Amino acid sequence: MQTATRLDELEPYLFATLAKNIEEKRAQGVDVINLGSGDPDTPTCAGVVEAMRDAVADPANHRYPTNRGKPAFLHAVARFLAARFDVSVDVTSEIVPTLGGKEAVHHLALCALSEGDICLYPEPAYPIYKSAATLANAKSHVIELRKECGFLPDLDAIPADVARRAKLLFINYPNNPTTAVADVAFFEKVVRFAKLNDIFVVHDNAYSEICFDDYHAPSFLQAKGAKDVGVEIFSLSKGWNMTGWRIGFIAGNEKLIGAMRHLKPNIDAGPFGAIQDAAITALEFQRSFPQEMSRIYQERRDIIVPALRRMGLQLDAPKSTLFLWAELPATLTSTKVSQRLFDEAGVVVSAGRSFGPSCDKFIRLALTAPTPRLIEAARRFGELRLS
Ligand SMILES: *Cc1c(COP(=O)(O)O)cnc(C)c1O
């Protein structure tokens, strides 16, 4: 027997290979510092854990949840979007809870793409957009994000026949891995492009709540006409240190939300009721928690950025996300540099190459190691000469 061919087209998940190498290195006695994946290292917001304790004991939460979401959850989402972004959404037709952002990406692709349709997504990018297009049997068109364009997609460069045949565009700002941010004017340009070509837009706003200095990331839904063409994915994973909990939501375009409500009962039953209750506490009463976390990441950013610059790498201090995206000196490649940092400093970083062939001049570092470990990483970088 043979497993399905579609699996052959999925790339092995980046961090699976990495985990094996780290294990081997640690077994050799090396004190490895992992700045590879962006998974918050500190515990979930305490108030949320507390709320979960009560919610898990409530028998009403022991039965099947609904894919529509608890009314209290939907109202908490609507109030959050109004308070944070001045965006208003209809709780009956414009919100759907999800098992995190990753699930949202996959199921939105299944909702928007028929076999053979074109899916537009950027490179570099969160690898899941490509997997989602593949599993939906769609064709892909990659939009290269270039430093000269602030890592924003050049929509005018998309060939007209490709744009016409495209059904879905994924974008993500604040951006993983480039840390680039976008403003509402850019989102309005995206809306015009989508309307012109009849394309659904999915904006992945996974990092909206992790912002530095005086920056506050906007919502795609603030753009005029955004709800006519698309939706925004939010996740509690990064802001409230809830990657293990699997909770997020999609808000916006009624047609896509309706399609999700049609699709999802065929696949899952929505997030555990107790987790929805805990998420209400996060969205309603713990809005300052992501700001406290942001201060911690900002402090870590300010430890590592100068260390990278001293090694000859170029980068702007990011305004958001859990990452640094650093450009290498001209003679070096990301595969070589990440290997050397691993071998010679015991520090794991992600090679830009793993986000696509156009990214071999960059490495990505995650700020999700305890601050003393980042100080130690900076010290080890100080002893290295790359070129
Ligand atoms: C982390 C991340 C997500 C979402 O993660 P979930 O835990 O599935 O909510 C989505 N998009 C990007 C770009 C991310 O980096």
Side-chain angles (χ1 to χ4, degrees):
M1 279 176 289
Q2 281 276 305
T3 55
T5 51
R6 69 169 67 82
L7 294 179
D8 305 337
E9 291 162 46
L10 293 180
E11 318 231 342
Y13 202 61
L14 175 62
F15 296 110
T17 341
L18 209 57
K20 193 171 145 276
N21 294 346
I22 294 170
E23 230 169 83
E24 283 171 10
K25 198 94 175 163
R26 286 193 172 134
Q28 294 162 17
V30 178
D31 175 26
V32 177
I33 301 173
N34 189 350
L35 310 182
S37 77
D39 186 355
D41 54 299
T42 48
T44 299
C45 169
V48 174
V49 175
E50 204 53 47
M52 182 70 180
R53 274 192 232 284
D54 292 336
V56 82
D58 179 358
N61 284 329
H62 298 172
R63 308 190 65 198
Y64 281 122
T66 71
N67 271 292
R68 288 178 170 260
K70 291 187 166 201
F73 176 83
L74 301 175
H75 283 281
V77 165
R79 280 193 292 269
F80 169 76
L81 294 177
R84 172 69 175 80
F85 303 108
D86 199 18
V87 156
S88 79
V89 288
D90 182 340
V91 290
T92 64
S93 61
E94 294 180 336
I95 308 168
V96 67
T98 63
L99 305 162
K102 199 183 251 188
E103 186 238 286
V105 167
H106 274 285
H107 289 158
L108 283 166
L110 290 181
C111 286
L113 297 163
S114 298
E115 181 159 0
D117 285 346
I118 293 180
C119 179
L120 305 170
Y121 57 82
E123 175 190 309
Y126 184 53
I128 303 309
Y129 311 134
K130 181 182 182 185
S131 315
T134 302
L135 292 183
N137 294 331
K139 293 194 166 68
S140 292
H141 179 86
V142 172
I143 312 169
E144 203 178 305
L145 302 183
R146 291 196 317 273
K147 188 187 168 194
E148 309 81 78
C149 305
F151 296 109
L152 296 174
D154 180 3
L155 299 172
D156 301 327
I158 298 170
D161 62 315
V162 171
R164 254 197 314 279
R165 280 160 51 224
K167 278 287 157 55
L168 176 62
L169 165 66
F170 282 112
I171 49 172
N172 159 230
Y173 294 95
N175 184 260
N176 172 13
T178 70
T179 75
V181 296
D183 57 16
V184 175
F186 166 75
F187 291 141
E188 288 180 343
K189 209 171 153 189
V190 171
V191 170
R192 285 195 293 278
F193 169 79
K195 283 195 174 170
L196 189 66
N197 294 289
D198 213 16
I199 296 172
F200 281 123
V201 177
V202 171
H203 179 244
D204 179 357
N205 210 352
Y207 294 97
S208 65
E209 303 313 296
I210 300 295
C211 295
F212 311 134
D213 308 317
D214 292 323
Y215 181 71
H216 298 285
S219 162
F220 171 68
L221 301 177
Q222 283 170 257
K224 206 160 162 282
K227 274 201 259 178
D228 299 338
V229 295
V231 293
E232 185 155 62
I233 300 173
F234 291 90
S235 166
L236 279 83
S237 284
K238 311 294 162 52
W240 286 268
N241 297 346
M242 291 174 72
T243 47
W245 296 56
R246 314 314 302 138
I247 182 79
F249 56 91
I250 307 169
N253 183 270
E254 194 175 347
K255 200 182 245 180
L256 270 181
I257 299 292
M260 285 292 285
R261 286 175 165 188
H262 183 56
L263 173 77
K264 272 174 61 73
N266 288 284
I267 298 175
D268 60 59
F272 179 25
I275 293 180
Q276 292 188 50
D277 289 348
I280 293 171
T281 296
L283 294 171
E284 296 262 45
F285 307 112
Q286 302 292 342
R287 285 197 200 138
S288 63
F289 184 82
Q291 293 159 19
E292 289 161 32
M293 285 310 305
S294 298
R295 275 194 287 278
I296 293 173
Y297 295 124
Q298 184 178 322
E299 183 190 40
R300 295 174 178 179
R301 174 196 75 175
D302 295 340
I303 291 164
I304 293 289
V305 167
L308 292 171
R309 287 183 181 149
R310 277 195 295 273
M311 273 199 303
L313 276 62
Q314 263 186 47
L315 75 165
D316 294 325
K319 292 190 171 79
S320 176
T321 77
L322 304 176
F323 304 108
L324 303 176
W325 183 246
E327 187 172 12
L328 304 169
T331 51
L332 302 175
T333 66
S334 70
T335 337
K336 285 220 180 87
V337 168
S338 56
Q339 193 61 50
R340 282 194 57 193
L341 293 178
F342 187 56
D343 293 341
E344 296 169 33
V347 178
V348 178
V349 305
S350 303
R353 183 68 184 76
S354 56
F355 296 97
S358 69
C359 314
D360 206 19
K361 286 277 143 228
F362 293 86
I363 57 169
R364 192 193 74 173
L365 298 89
L367 298 170
T368 49
T371 306
R373 301 296 284 157
L374 283 159
I375 293 172
E376 170 62 13
R379 191 194 64 75
R380 294 185 196 174
F381 289 164
E383 292 177 347
L384 269 178
R385 277 287 150 268
L386 281 183
S387 42

